[in-house]
Amino acid sequence: MLNPLDAPAAVSAAAEPLEELLDDCNHVSFIDLFHVVPVAGMTPGHDSMKRLAQAVYDAGPSGYRVATSVDPFESPQAWRDILRRQVTDGIMQPANRWPDANLRTPAEIRQAGELADGIADLIEAHLGPVRCAGDVDGPRMGMGAIWSRNLLLVTSDWATVLFLGIDD
């Protein structure tokens, strides 16, 4: 397994080609991994997931306070589907923000899905298999944020938050 603490930098580097593919003339896409924190024996559940999300935010400079509980997805791998769906046919796909359906070719959309799968594989190569995941509230990255989604990812040993966002 790769060093878990190197995961945010590795994901940032791997996400650059995907972000460029998803950018358009008026919007910038972001795919980032927040800090990685040890799980330290917490059992996945609503309260512990909220505490883990807060620990991830506390490890960085955001100062963000988690306001709501984190409901785990039915499947631990649902986060992979969410990431792939957002970059292939969700709001992160520029054709869904502009009336021009030809903004991206089928090959570019397929490439976006492949890059997203590679990022998901990279995260699990660093942290281990995700055993529990869920939507969590969190800070928006920029002042012009028009959409964002934060996914709490919990493995046997580590927790982090995957940030997906679009800024003006």
Side-chain angles (χ1 to χ4, degrees):
M1 185 184 314
L2 301 172
N3 184 343
L5 301 179
D6 292 339
V11 168
S12 180
E16 282 182 30
L18 179 56
E19 291 168 338
E20 289 174 13
L21 189 61
L22 297 172
D23 289 348
D24 60 41
C25 59
N26 291 327
H27 302 98
V28 178
S29 299
F30 293 97
I31 299 170
D32 289 304
L33 201 62
F34 279 83
H35 295 281
V36 174
V37 297
V39 171
M42 286 192 191
T43 306
H46 297 286
D47 291 337
S48 65
M49 288 185 72
K50 181 178 178 180
R51 286 193 308 271
L52 284 170
Q54 189 61 61
V56 170
Y57 294 137
D58 288 347
S62 77
Y64 187 81
R65 292 282 160 229
V66 178
T68 61
S69 64
V70 180
D71 290 324
F73 297 136
E74 214 171 285
S75 164
Q77 295 302 306
W79 71 276
R80 285 176 161 270
D81 296 334
I82 291 167
L83 172 59
R84 184 178 236 292
R85 191 175 38 240
Q86 284 303 330
V87 303
T88 59
D89 64 5
I91 192 169
M92 293 191 80
Q93 187 55 239
N96 292 328
R97 296 190 303 268
W98 290 92
D100 182 2
N102 296 320
L103 203 56
R104 293 293 184 265
T105 66
E108 289 172 320
I109 293 171
R110 187 174 45 258
Q111 181 185 14
E114 291 167 357
L115 290 168
D117 291 343
I119 290 169
D121 291 343
L122 180 65
I123 290 169
E124 290 193 325
H126 277 274
L127 306 179
V130 172
R131 294 178 167 262
C132 190
D135 280 310
V136 63
D137 59 329
R140 291 182 167 220
M141 291 303 226
M143 297 302 287
I146 61 170
W147 176 86
S148 67
R149 188 163 186 183
N150 294 298
L151 304 173
L152 176 66
L153 309 178
V154 182
T155 69
S156 294
D157 299 315
W158 305 99
T160 190
V161 172
L162 177 63
F163 173 83
L164 309 173
I166 302 169
D167 278 3
D168 277 339

